[in-house]
Amino acid sequence: MDMAGLKVGVNVDIQRTDGRIHSAVISGVNPEMRSVTVEWFEKGETKGKEIEVEAIFALNPDLQTPVQPVRESQSSKSSRIPNAQSGDGPKAGRKAPLSAKSRRSFAANAQPSVVAQNGQSEKSTASAASKDAAARRKSNCVKEVDKIRLKREERRAQQIAIKEERGSEYDLNDPNWEFIAMINEYRTSLEFRPLTSSDPIVNHTICVCVRKRPMNKKELTKKDVDVITVPNKENVIVHEPKLKVDLTKYLENQNFRFDYSFDENSTNEMVYRYTAKPLVECIFDGGMATCFAYGQTGSGKTHTMGGDFSVKGQQDCSKGIYCLAARDVFKLLHTKYKKQELTVGASFFEIYSGKVFDLLNKKQKLRVLEDHKQQVQVVGLKEEPITNPDDVLRLIQHGNNVRTSGTTSANQHSSRSHAVFQIILRRRNTNKIHGKFSLIDLAGNERGADTSSADRQTRMEGAEINKSLLALKECIRALSRKGAHQPFRASKLTQVLRDSFIGDNSRTCMISMISPGMSCCEHTLNTLRYADRVKELGPGGPVEGKPSEVALPNNYNLGAMSPQNSDLQMLKTSNEEVTDEMLTFHEVVNHMQEIEEEVIDDHKSIIEITQKWLAEDKKLYKATDEVDYDVEAYARQLDNLLARKIQTLTALREKVSSFRQDCQEEENLSKNLKSRRQPNAK
Ligand code: ADP
Ligand code: MG
């Protein structure tokens, strides 16, 4: 930069760290540092400081005008606006680095404050020798009084103009306007390079990505703030609004990296192209594929998997990943894999509070059984043969209607259940499974926190969701460490999907959905942290198969513990957020669920047996009408019948009593969880 009119002895305006602007005299020029030293007289002594020339020019535009082109001086003026707001010094790097090293928490502390002069200290130089000079300068100052007055007026006009400009840019009545300004400023420092369809599709065993949905009408009306930035194809930044103790607002900008990041403009087709599509071929090669939609309720899971709600309330299933995947299955079936003699079938069910319901068969409740070879079966699950994409579309529409029928709100129900849509390839001659693609619209992850709800049903659902999402995470993590133990027994979801997690040819992708709003910030961070744990990409580059700190051996066994509870125990070992109380709670809930099934089964058989008893009773009673009936035989038979009844009923009663005890224990434990949580409750 040209030092222009900056010479020793020239009078300039300076701004003090406390915001005051006044005149001073240049006492030294330092072109290398692009700074000048200035001095002024104050309270009987001469003071001085060093100031960058940019700051001088900003306050004294006419010093620059003769040598700088007009255009430049204008731009230097406009750059003052953000500086004055953000507190960035004139030289402070406004380029927020997105370097891999600064992966987390490069807090951009951007609270509004006056222009700071980069920490220069104002030092007193009241030496005797300089006193003369000071007096000279003082008189110099007096001579300049008029000039200063003029400048002050000019400055005021400028400040009013800046305020007006700001005022039109931000609504100062909006309590969040400073956050909005800081986020905007942060964004201007970023280089945006979103994913495009020309970017390469990478084959991952485990693919973890994130999708940000756009702000919706409700959020816009409520003036919620978009706190998520997706600058490129793999990063996502959360601008978390924070308050200091002194109530200064600042942002904590947290950066995450995934295999892919989809911004608010991405379509379902685009998301599909990089996530589920690469897995379709795997099932033709005899593999198992899973694709999960994970996230908070309302973040876009069903939109992505089932199809967008383009016309009010009507879901266009043809644009969902279920259907897009099925379409590609048929494409490959009729072309590349024509010779393989495969048939295609589909099943669709939901897991609600640890129970499986068949969406293709009137929501029938199904049992999940594990045989001695650890083969898991959903007994009686309907598998519809499908021959073209239209069949699939119809099935999905039907299943969706069944899923949400009789519930107050579609989202209220679906937020508490996992929906599993499966495309199954079978060999035509043997009918054996060749490959399977499971696409899962998971329950809202925020529901996992419902374990301390006052309502038992909600608590049980919450416990199952909490457990299943933890188990899912560990199962996927174990997938990357061949041979590692997968705690699939810890939840119904993972149990049912067990065959997809084992075998050498298993691949999975997880799409983490996030809402953009400030009001969802905490849930969004939870979602991103979870996704980050599923596949720890780290800052440098993909590290698939990175060993975990809890690599348990395959024959992992915890003594006499049930396999289910030992898997639960493993979840605790790998997740510090699972406390002892939580583990006990889960164990009791597990026991409760087991005994509940037994009670219901026994009850059912008692209803059947009661019919038989009644027939016997009638026959026996009728015999007493005969004149010569055998009294002794009658008494013996009646006694026998009553004994059987009592035995059967007592057995059931004992089970019911134990079940009720479990219920009580569950309730007490949940209260304990609640009171423990209260201190930090938000
Ligand atoms: P979830 O299944 O996660 O609870 P939904 O898929 O039901 O969430 O989405 C909630 C709302 O947001 C729906 O009205 C949906 O249409 C809308 N939505 C979700 N994702 C998008 C998107 N990518 N583009 C436009 N609207 C979306
Ligand atoms: Mg949904």
Side-chain angles (χ1 to χ4, degrees):
M1 183 193 276
D2 198 325
M3 298 302 274
L6 300 182
K7 293 192 189 81
V8 175
V10 169
N11 244 286
V12 290
D13 272 5
I14 61 161
Q15 184 169 30
R16 302 284 294 281
T17 42
D18 62 6
R20 279 183 299 140
I21 295 175
H22 61 72
S23 173
V25 178
I26 295 178
S27 57
V29 179
N30 192 349
E32 272 158 0
M33 300 301 290
R34 291 164 46 155
S35 67
V36 295
T37 47
V38 293
E39 287 182 12
W40 65 96
F41 197 71
E42 186 177 292
K43 287 180 192 157
E45 59 179 80
T46 303
K47 289 188 166 183
K49 68 190 255 177
E50 191 181 351
I51 302 178
E52 284 164 340
V53 293
E54 285 94 331
I56 295 279
F57 283 142
L59 274 177
N60 304 271
D62 46 348
L63 272 179
Q64 217 175 352
T65 326
V67 281
Q68 294 278 333
V70 178
R71 212 164 41 91
E72 277 235 7
S73 81
Q74 270 169 351
S75 80
S76 93
K77 201 157 128 192
S78 67
S79 78
R80 282 177 62 196
I81 299 162
N83 279 352
Q85 285 297 335
S86 71
D88 276 352
K91 248 181 125 181
R94 302 196 46 232
K95 195 105 191 145
L98 238 192
S99 86
K101 280 198 194 93
S102 54
R103 185 165 175 242
R104 290 279 165 78
S105 305
F106 38 75
N109 185 351
Q111 84 257 30
S113 72
V114 291
V115 175
Q117 303 287 5
N118 281 356
Q120 302 117 355
S121 65
E122 297 166 3
K123 52 187 182 290
S124 176
T125 55
S127 69
S130 68
K131 276 227 167 105
D132 269 5
R136 220 173 34 245
R137 282 180 206 121
K138 190 181 175 188
S139 73
N140 218 353
C141 287
V142 175
K143 277 182 212 162
E144 297 286 329
V145 162
D146 275 355
K147 206 174 157 195
I148 292 168
R149 191 175 46 82
L150 279 173
K151 278 198 186 145
R152 193 186 303 130
E153 278 159 16
E154 193 182 307
R155 224 163 30 234
R156 282 196 185 135
Q158 242 177 36
Q159 275 162 354
I160 289 167
I162 290 168
K163 212 173 166 186
E164 277 173 2
E165 200 180 316
R166 270 283 179 202
S168 62
E169 200 180 335
Y170 298 104
D171 172 7
L172 302 190
N173 296 321
D174 185 335
N176 291 320
W177 81 269
E178 284 128 313
F179 286 130
I180 302 173
M182 286 185 251
I183 293 171
N184 281 349
E185 193 180 338
Y186 190 97
R187 284 184 181 143
T188 57
S189 72
L190 294 173
E191 208 179 315
F192 281 85
R193 250 190 258 154
L195 185 74
T196 67
S197 50
S198 58
D199 281 305
I201 299 166
V202 187
N203 268 333
H204 297 285
T205 303
I206 300 170
C207 171
V208 177
C209 51
V210 62
R211 180 184 197 181
K212 170 196 177 185
R213 72 155 166 78
M215 294 276 275
N216 60 31
K217 253 203 207 113
K218 202 167 143 201
E219 287 159 339
L220 291 171
T221 322
K222 278 190 171 169
K223 292 207 159 85
D224 200 348
V225 181
D226 176 353
V227 296
I228 306 296
T229 304
V230 180
N232 56 41
K233 65 185 165 105
E234 53 187 22
N235 287 92
V236 56
I237 301 161
V238 182
H239 310 283
E240 190 186 2
K242 292 253 176 160
L243 278 185
K244 286 191 183 170
V245 204
D246 65 357
L247 300 183
T248 330
K249 293 174 177 167
Y250 70 103
L251 294 178
E252 192 167 321
N253 299 294
Q254 308 194 40
N255 182 26
F256 293 84
R257 191 166 75 92
F258 299 103
D259 291 314
Y260 302 103
S261 287
F262 301 97
D263 68 16
E264 61 272 37
N265 302 314
S266 57
T267 58
N268 275 358
E269 279 93 345
M270 189 72 170
V271 174
Y272 170 69
R273 182 184 161 85
Y274 288 93
T275 55
K277 192 180 165 81
L279 303 187
V280 174
E281 197 147 353
C282 145
I283 63 168
F284 283 92
D285 293 331
M288 294 293 200
T290 41
C291 174
F292 297 91
Y294 176 90
Q296 167 191 12
T297 305
S299 56
K301 296 181 296 296
T302 306
H303 173 101
T304 305
M305 301 304 272
D308 55 44
F309 302 82
S310 39
V311 192
K312 206 172 163 46
Q314 276 293 317
Q315 195 173 23
D316 181 0
C317 297
S318 67
K319 301 246 177 66
I321 286 185
Y322 293 154
C323 227
L324 293 171
R327 203 176 296 160
D328 278 336
V329 165
F330 286 109
K331 235 184 241 166
L332 286 175
L333 186 77
H334 296 309
T335 54
K336 194 172 170 187
Y337 296 92
K338 216 173 172 172
K339 293 210 180 89
Q340 278 203 359
E341 293 282 313
L342 296 168
T343 61
V344 191
S347 57
F348 198 11
F349 57 94
E350 77 178 347
I351 304 174
Y352 185 72
S353 205
K355 298 179 180 100
V356 176
F357 299 91
D358 195 342
L359 295 175
L360 299 185
N361 192 11
K362 294 174 246 160
K363 232 174 172 172
Q364 200 183 8
K365 193 164 107 187
L366 303 173
R367 296 291 291 275
V368 178
L369 293 181
E370 191 182 323
D371 65 19
H372 59 285
K373 282 192 270 169
Q374 295 191 341
Q375 289 278 345
V376 180
Q377 254 200 52
V378 183
V379 185
L381 178 66
K382 197 158 180 182
E383 186 180 318
E384 290 275 354
I386 46 173
T387 53
N388 58 62
D390 285 342
D391 284 351
V392 180
L393 205 60
R394 265 195 302 276
L395 279 187
I396 293 167
Q397 272 158 352
H398 173 76
N400 276 341
N401 289 338
V402 172
R403 186 179 188 207
T404 51
S405 68
T407 49
T408 36
S409 132
N411 235 353
Q412 225 166 48
H413 174 73
S414 64
S415 72
R416 298 169 172 280
S417 64
H418 309 300
V420 183
F421 179 74
Q422 295 181 312
I423 304 170
I424 302 137
L425 293 182
R426 288 183 185 272
R427 290 183 211 114
R428 198 181 289 277
N429 48 359
T430 59
N431 209 34
K432 281 230 166 94
I433 291 187
H434 177 77
K436 184 151 76 174
F437 199 165
S438 305
L439 300 124
I440 300 106
D441 184 351
L442 291 168
N445 59 357
E446 83 284 4
R447 296 293 176 198
D450 285 349
T451 44
S452 47
S453 157
D455 172 62
R456 166 163 292 119
Q457 176 67 14
T458 310
R459 278 202 306 269
M460 303 289 280
E461 286 163 12
E464 185 63 30
I465 292 166
N466 178 296
K467 210 166 54 174
S468 58
L469 296 178
L470 284 174
L472 175 64
K473 180 173 70 174
E474 295 312 320
C475 286
I476 297 179
R477 281 162 60 83
L479 198 61
S480 66
R481 314 183 305 260
K482 294 268 183 271
H485 177 79
Q486 293 171 308
F488 68 88
R489 280 197 195 88
S491 79
K492 269 283 155 16
L493 173 77
T494 43
Q495 205 182 0
V496 164
L497 294 173
R498 179 179 186 266
D499 59 352
S500 294
F501 285 128
I502 51 169
D504 296 333
N505 203 357
S506 289
R507 290 178 59 190
T508 189
C509 81
M510 171 167 288
I511 313 169
S512 311
M513 313 293 170
I514 53 173
S515 305
M518 185 195 257
S519 54
C520 298
C521 200
E522 218 178 299
H523 287 309
T524 297
L525 282 168
N526 284 341
T527 298
L528 294 173
R529 285 185 198 121
Y530 177 95
D532 188 60
R533 279 281 285 168
V534 168
K535 180 177 179 178
E536 284 154 304
L537 274 179
V543 271
E544 271 188 49
K546 182 181 155 194
S548 129
E549 62 277 21
V550 278
L552 291 162
N554 208 3
N555 56 358
Y556 179 67
N557 193 351
L558 281 173
M561 224 183 249
S562 75
Q564 197 181 24
N565 283 349
S566 77
D567 278 356
L568 263 181
Q569 177 75 43
M570 185 189 164
L571 296 189
K572 181 180 181 314
T573 320
S574 7
N575 293 278
E576 56 188 27
E577 71 262 30
V578 183
T579 57
D580 284 333
E581 286 93 345
M582 191 51 110
L583 184 70
T584 317
F585 178 69
H586 278 312
E587 280 169 0
V588 170
V589 168
N590 276 352
H591 190 246
M592 229 174 120
Q593 282 171 342
E594 269 169 39
I595 207 160
E596 181 192 351
E597 280 192 5
E598 280 181 33
V599 165
I600 293 172
D601 279 356
D602 288 3
H603 192 183
K604 189 180 170 208
S605 45
I606 278 188
I607 292 173
E608 283 159 14
I609 213 170
T610 308
Q611 311 292 327
K612 278 185 207 150
W613 287 340
L614 190 63
E616 267 187 66
D617 269 328
K618 278 183 180 165
K619 203 173 142 200
L620 209 56
Y621 175 76
K622 197 137 197 262
T624 62
D625 283 347
E626 302 292 324
V627 193
D628 56 346
Y629 84 100
D630 181 344
V631 180
E632 214 185 302
Y634 165 74
R636 196 178 56 242
Q637 282 172 31
L638 181 57
D639 187 52
N640 180 289
L641 180 59
L642 289 173
R644 276 185 285 142
K645 280 188 191 175
I646 288 169
Q647 195 186 15
T648 313
L649 291 174
T650 307
L652 177 61
R653 191 159 186 224
E654 274 164 13
K655 249 180 214 164
V656 173
S657 152
S658 153
F659 178 54
R660 293 184 66 192
Q661 264 174 26
D662 271 1
C663 288
Q664 191 58 50
E665 194 178 344
E666 182 273 336
E667 195 166 325
N668 294 342
L669 281 170
S670 97
K671 274 189 198 138
N672 216 346
L673 287 179
K674 197 152 60 176
S675 62
R676 288 217 162 212
R677 242 181 232 181
Q678 224 107 53
N680 314 316
K682 298 244 160 64

